[in-house]
Amino acid sequence: MTASRVLVEIDGPIAHVTLNRPDKLNGIDLETIDELIAAAESLRADHDVRAVLLRGAGRSFSAGLDFGAAFAEKSRVKKFFFAGPRRLNRFQYVNQVWRELPVPVIAVVQGHCYGAGLQLAACADFRFTTPDATWAILEAKWGLVPDMAGTLPFSELLPADVLMRLAMTGESFTGTRAAELGLATEAADDPLAAALALVEQIVGRSPDSVAATKQLVYGTRRGSERQAWRLERKLQSAMFKARNTSIARKAGAAKQKPEFGPRTHGS
């Protein structure tokens, strides 16, 4: 029986999602894409989950797309790649889906973080890495461009000249350098502990406020000022009506720790 390529474990309010091909440095094939999407869609429906930790089993986060395995089924690859003019294809959706989850997603990086793996990490909301991890936008090595939804977060996180240099050359850089560039949130000897420390802070806040904040930040990255102001008002109006907002206010006034209910904001 083939082992699952993606493991999902729920520990209280935290979902641990682990790429599980350590013998292949967690190279991503078509089955991994299917399982990652299924995991994300399942977590979207779980309103008790407050944060997601995205990790790689073994010594690497992900060495990128496993070309040999993925392109063994050329007809299936074509289906994954096809999309209408206003839709994401499956190669893009597998990463974009994590940006669309109404909870924060934190990537924990060690070892290799290449190509498709780096695009997956970039589509998380936070990235904690070991200082000696090796990062690379590796598509240039194969005469390709990043095409798995990574371009959007890359453009948000990096200046244009830095992004073009990394994407045109495919040069590798350390986790420390990734943090210096702003591509990683933080470099730490124990990135999992650093990620869990952030999660502890986040789960102390209303899950509705956290979900709305993620929507607000991504929703105002592009577009007009009027659109940004409109989204602010819309989300704040929703927060005024949310039960968890009332819980936060009452706990704050009483100087007590709030006991929040399930998330109600976000599908």
Side-chain angles (χ1 to χ4, degrees), residues 24-117:
K24 299 293 186 181
L25 301 178
N26 298 313
I28 296 171
D29 61 3
L30 302 187
E31 284 71 25
T32 304
I33 289 174
D34 281 341
E35 291 187 28
L36 277 170
I37 290 172
E41 291 179 341
S42 174
L43 293 173
R44 185 197 300 273
D46 189 339
H47 288 217
D48 290 318
V49 168
R50 306 283 296 280
V52 176
L53 289 177
L54 189 57
R55 306 161 63 187
R59 61 191 181 94
S60 288
F61 177 72
S62 173
L65 193 67
D66 184 340
F67 280 94
F71 283 81
E73 303 175 71
K74 292 183 179 179
S75 62
R76 193 174 171 205
V77 168
K78 289 180 181 179
K79 291 180 180 179
F80 271 48
F81 193 76
F82 175 77
R86 298 190 180 186
R87 295 178 55 209
L88 294 166
N89 68 26
R90 204 154 179 83
F91 287 109
Q92 294 167 323
Y93 184 59
V94 68
N95 294 334
Q96 176 65 18
V97 68
W98 302 99
R99 279 170 65 95
E100 295 177 356
L101 282 189
V103 297
V105 178
I106 301 113
V108 179
V109 174
Q110 79 283 352
H112 304 85
C113 187
Y114 289 167

Side-chain angles (χ1 to χ4, degrees), residues 163-177:
L163 172 54
M164 285 191 288
R165 173 177 174 167
L166 297 177
M168 289 175 178
T169 65
E171 67 184 66
S172 62
F173 49 101
T174 65
T176 297
R177 184 59 177 156

Side-chain angles (χ1 to χ4, degrees), residues 197-210:
L198 174 61
V199 169
E200 185 178 0
Q201 290 182 285
I202 289 172
V203 299
R205 303 302 181 190
S206 163
D208 297 316
S209 172
V210 169

Side-chain angles (χ1 to χ4, degrees), residues 143-252:
L144 302 171
V145 299
D147 69 336
M148 294 180 68
T151 310
L152 185 60
F154 288 160
S155 295
E156 293 171 352
L157 296 167
L158 297 170
D161 59 336
V162 175
L163 172 54
M164 285 191 288
R165 173 177 174 167
L166 297 177
M168 289 175 178
T169 65
E171 67 184 66
S172 62
F173 49 101
T174 65
T176 297
R177 184 59 177 156
E180 291 171 351
L181 293 172
L183 190 55
T185 306
E186 182 181 324
D189 291 333
D190 188 344
L192 177 58
L196 287 170
L198 174 61
V199 169
E200 185 178 0
Q201 290 182 285
I202 289 172
V203 299
R205 303 302 181 190
S206 163
D208 297 316
S209 172
V210 169
T213 298
K214 179 171 176 175
Q215 182 182 353
L216 179 63
V217 170
Y218 288 140
T220 54
R221 283 285 183 174
R222 289 168 174 77
S224 68
E225 289 182 344
R226 288 182 180 276
Q227 289 172 322
W229 297 333
R230 189 180 305 120
L231 183 58
E232 282 184 355
R233 295 193 300 269
K234 175 183 176 181
L235 292 174
Q236 193 71 301
S237 177
M239 292 304 98
F240 285 144
K241 301 171 185 175
R243 180 173 178 270
N244 281 315
T245 303
S246 176
I247 292 171
R249 285 202 306 263
K250 290 177 181 178

